């Protein structure tokens, strides 16, 4: 049986029957699939991809206490970033499962490259959208407990969940909203996706990417997205990021996933649209969410770079735990 259990099929059915749309993508698309299409995918008779363990690194343990301008991929869409100003954590998920329940749903294939207790003091946490593999309440509560002064930035519609969970310093953002923390300005940018956590809340909160900018360095985290013109618009409004963090996994079957998840070839196009000179992959190798083989995304990424005559360091797929230098 695939990792999307019958429980989630029932959730999908209920949410398809009754909900009110609040937010849409910039092209007015809802990225909605019918219950029949969902069931057709879940029970298509094909065996899901095999669980494998991808290679990880302990290089992060060599980080000096005062190290700056680096990133570490912790797993999935979670990056620890120091931009020379503050420590930032993206879409933190340290839980064993990406699920509303502890005993079912997608289970980690690799542990987080760093444990919560291994992290430096986190100044800011950004969340791209409220799906369980990106918006993990358990991890967010633990981060708040470790440092009550951490600032949490979430899409419009999601603040109430964190306030209910006891977090403070929570700020909601709509597309193109900005917030400055120390010398870093955070811009919440549109991407093509959707949101849902319960039976009747589809698209009642927003989704997006994060453009993080200082005078010396610009960074972009795309969250979770299908391909769209939003990235050209982001470049036109904010310029080219020096480094980008872009998803490369969870893309098959294309007939079901294309609107919401880019494949490696589309991820390269996002980097080209942003005119970013260096990108790092994410959103693969941690959970089995879709049908492609676990280790396929970085292989296809390298093939896409060769086909477009792009240098291998234009877009890398790092190991979890590896230290990535962020210097111009």
């Amino acid at each position: 049986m695939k990792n999307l259990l019958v429980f989630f099929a029932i959730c999908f059915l209920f949410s398809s029957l009754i909900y009110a749309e609040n937010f849409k993508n910039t092209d007015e698309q809802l990225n909605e699939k019918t219950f029949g299409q969902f069931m057709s995918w879940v029970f298509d008779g094909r065996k899901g991809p095999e669980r494998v363990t991808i290679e990880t690194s302990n290089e992060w343990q060599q980080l000096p206490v005062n190290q700056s301008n680096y990133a570490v991929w912790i797993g999935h869409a979670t990056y620890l970033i120091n931009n020379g100003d503050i420590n930032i954590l993206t879409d933190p998920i340290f839980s064993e499962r990406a699920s509303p329940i502890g005993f079912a749903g997608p289970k980690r294939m690799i542990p987080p490259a760093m444990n919560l207790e291994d992290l430096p003091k986190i100044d800011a946490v950004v969340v791209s959208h409220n799906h369980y593999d990106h918006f993990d309440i358990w991890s967010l509560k633990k981060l708040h407990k470790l440092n009550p002064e951490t600032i949490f930035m979430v899409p419009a519609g999601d603040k109430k969940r964190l306030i209910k969970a006891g977090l403070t310093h929570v700020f909601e953002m709509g597309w193109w909203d900005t917030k400055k923390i120390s010398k870093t300005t955070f811009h919440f940018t549109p991407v093509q996706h959707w949101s849902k956590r319960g039976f009747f809340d589809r698209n009642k909160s927003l989704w997006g990417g994060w453009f993080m900018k200082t005078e010396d360095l610009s960074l972009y985290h795309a969250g979770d997205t299908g391909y769209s013109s939003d990235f050209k618009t982001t470049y036109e409004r904010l310029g080219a990021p020096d480094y980008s963090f872009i998803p490369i996994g969870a893309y098959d079957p294309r007939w079901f996933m294309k609107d919401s998840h880019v494949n490696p070839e589309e991820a390269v196009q996002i980097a080209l649209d942003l005119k970013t000179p260096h990108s790092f992959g994410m959103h693969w190798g941690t959970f089995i969410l879709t049908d492609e083989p676990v280790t396929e995304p970085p292989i296809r990424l390298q093939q896409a770079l060769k086909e477009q005559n792009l240098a291998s360091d234009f877009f890398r797929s790092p190991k979890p735990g590896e230290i990535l230098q962020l210097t111009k």
Side-chain angles (χ1 to χ4, degrees), residues 56-319:
T56 61
S57 170
N58 290 324
E59 189 178 18
W60 66 268
Q61 295 177 358
Q62 303 171 22
L63 282 168
V65 175
N66 60 348
Q67 178 70 35
S68 62
N69 293 95
Y70 70 89
V72 175
W73 184 34
I74 294 175
H76 206 49
T78 307
Y79 268 93
L80 167 65
I81 299 169
N82 179 286
N83 66 345
D85 176 35
I86 58 175
N87 290 320
I88 304 163
L89 199 62
T90 67
D91 285 359
I93 179 166
F94 292 81
S95 294
E96 183 67 14
R97 294 183 185 271
S99 172
I101 49 179
F103 58 86
K107 186 177 180 180
R108 299 187 80 101
M109 290 179 289
I110 58 169
M114 300 173 68
N115 294 322
L116 281 160
E117 292 75 16
D118 298 322
L119 297 171
K121 178 184 175 182
I122 301 299
D123 300 292
V125 171
V126 293
V127 175
S128 63
H129 65 296
N130 71 8
H131 288 159
Y132 287 94
D133 56 324
H134 294 257
F135 189 100
D136 181 40
I137 294 289
W138 181 85
S139 297
L140 297 172
K141 289 172 67 175
K142 291 286 287 186
L143 287 162
H144 173 69
K145 185 175 181 180
L146 287 168
N147 179 22
E149 299 306 311
T150 297
I151 294 173
F152 296 85
M153 286 169 281
V154 300
D158 285 322
K159 177 178 178 179
K160 59 183 179 294
R161 298 182 187 278
L162 296 190
I163 297 301
K164 185 177 180 180
L167 277 69
T168 54
H169 307 298
V170 181
F171 297 88
E172 283 189 336
M173 307 273 277
W175 287 338
W176 306 118
D177 284 350
T178 63
K179 181 170 181 57
K180 191 167 186 178
I181 300 173
S182 186
K183 299 176 183 178
T184 303
T185 301
F186 292 82
H187 305 257
F188 193 49
T189 66
V191 303
Q192 182 171 294
H193 205 58
W194 55 290
S195 67
K196 188 173 85 71
R197 284 179 75 83
F199 287 155
F200 310 122
D201 66 343
R202 184 182 176 94
N203 292 357
K204 287 191 175 182
S205 66
L206 199 51
W207 50 90
W210 293 95
F211 199 109
M212 301 162 276
K213 194 169 187 176
T214 67
E215 289 186 2
D216 300 319
L217 194 69
S218 294
L219 307 173
Y220 179 72
H221 186 278
D224 201 356
T225 184
Y227 180 72
S228 72
S229 62
D230 292 324
F231 306 101
K232 293 180 180 178
T233 303
T234 296
Y235 166 74
E236 291 167 359
R237 294 186 63 151
L238 299 175
D242 298 301
Y243 296 89
S244 294
F245 307 89
I246 302 174
I248 62 172
Y251 48 78
D252 276 348
R254 292 312 285 153
W255 68 266
F256 194 88
M257 292 294 169
K258 183 175 177 59
D259 292 340
S260 301
H261 292 156
V262 292
N263 61 24
E265 295 80 11
E266 291 168 327
V268 171
Q269 188 58 53
I270 289 175
L272 292 170
D273 290 352
L274 290 168
K275 301 187 188 299
T276 184
H278 301 289
S279 293
F280 301 111
M282 61 180 186
H283 207 262
W284 75 279
T286 308
F287 301 101
I288 293 179
L289 301 173
T290 47
D291 286 354
E292 75 274 3
V294 171
T295 58
E296 181 181 273
I299 295 172
R300 282 181 57 171
L301 176 63
Q302 288 302 310
Q303 291 172 342
L305 294 175
K306 290 179 181 178
E307 289 172 2
Q308 299 209 43
N309 294 317
L310 295 168
S312 59
D313 65 351
F314 175 75
F315 200 138
R316 289 183 52 208
S317 180
K319 298 175 186 176

Side-chain angles (χ1 to χ4, degrees), residues 3-67:
N3 56 61
L4 294 171
L5 303 175
V6 174
F7 173 86
F8 297 103
I10 295 171
C11 291
F12 191 97
L13 172 60
F14 276 97
S15 66
S16 299
L17 292 175
I18 305 175
Y19 63 82
E21 297 289 354
N22 281 11
F23 294 101
K24 298 179 181 180
N25 288 297
T26 56
D27 62 0
E28 297 295 310
Q29 295 299 311
L30 301 177
N31 284 8
E32 178 187 0
K33 293 293 187 293
T34 67
F35 181 67
Q37 289 174 312
F38 181 78
M39 295 302 289
S40 177
W41 169 45
V42 172
F43 298 107
D44 64 3
R46 290 181 294 173
K47 187 178 179 180
E50 294 184 10
R51 291 178 63 88
V52 299
T53 301
I54 66 171
E55 186 178 359
T56 61
S57 170
N58 290 324
E59 189 178 18
W60 66 268
Q61 295 177 358
Q62 303 171 22
L63 282 168
V65 175
N66 60 348
Q67 178 70 35

